[in-house]
Amino acid sequence: NAVVGITVRFDLLGTLSATETVTCFLPKFGNATASNSALTLLARHPTTKATLPITGAWDKATEKITFTATSDVSYTTAPITTNQERYPTGISVEILVRASNGITAPP
């Protein structure tokens, strides 16, 4: 299985508060990859590229990456990129999980 970098992008309708999480299920990923509680990643705003306070952990058993805000991510630091008039307090986040973490693609 090939080792891959993974890009995750999401919008939320409000603040991602410190310690809150977003979980991404990646079925059949990571068959040859151990769990990793401190992924190497870049969390940023998709337009401004400003870095965001988010960490990530890979759980091999559940095939999930859990992203955790280490401090608040709000519309002032990561304004939503679509439909801002309708969702003025929404946020947009892009996370690049580096290939150096060793997570493998499905066979």
Side-chain angles (χ1 to χ4, degrees), residues 26-105:
L26 299 170
K28 301 195 187 313
F29 274 73
N31 291 340
T33 309
S35 293
N36 182 344
S37 62
L39 292 174
T40 301
L41 58 79
L42 172 62
R44 64 186 184 181
H45 185 264
T47 303
T48 68
K49 306 303 183 201
T51 58
L52 301 172
I54 296 174
T55 61
W58 167 251
D59 185 325
K60 179 180 179 171
T62 63
E63 301 176 327
K64 292 179 182 178
I65 294 178
T66 300
F67 300 108
T68 304
T70 57
S71 61
D72 291 356
V73 178
S74 71
Y75 71 94
T76 59
T77 55
I80 199 164
T81 57
T82 57
N83 230 345
Q84 198 168 26
E85 303 78 32
R86 187 168 182 186
Y87 306 110
T89 60
I91 65 169
S92 291
V93 175
E94 179 180 70
I95 301 174
L96 309 170
V97 179
R98 304 291 188 202
S100 60
N101 292 294
I103 297 175
T104 53

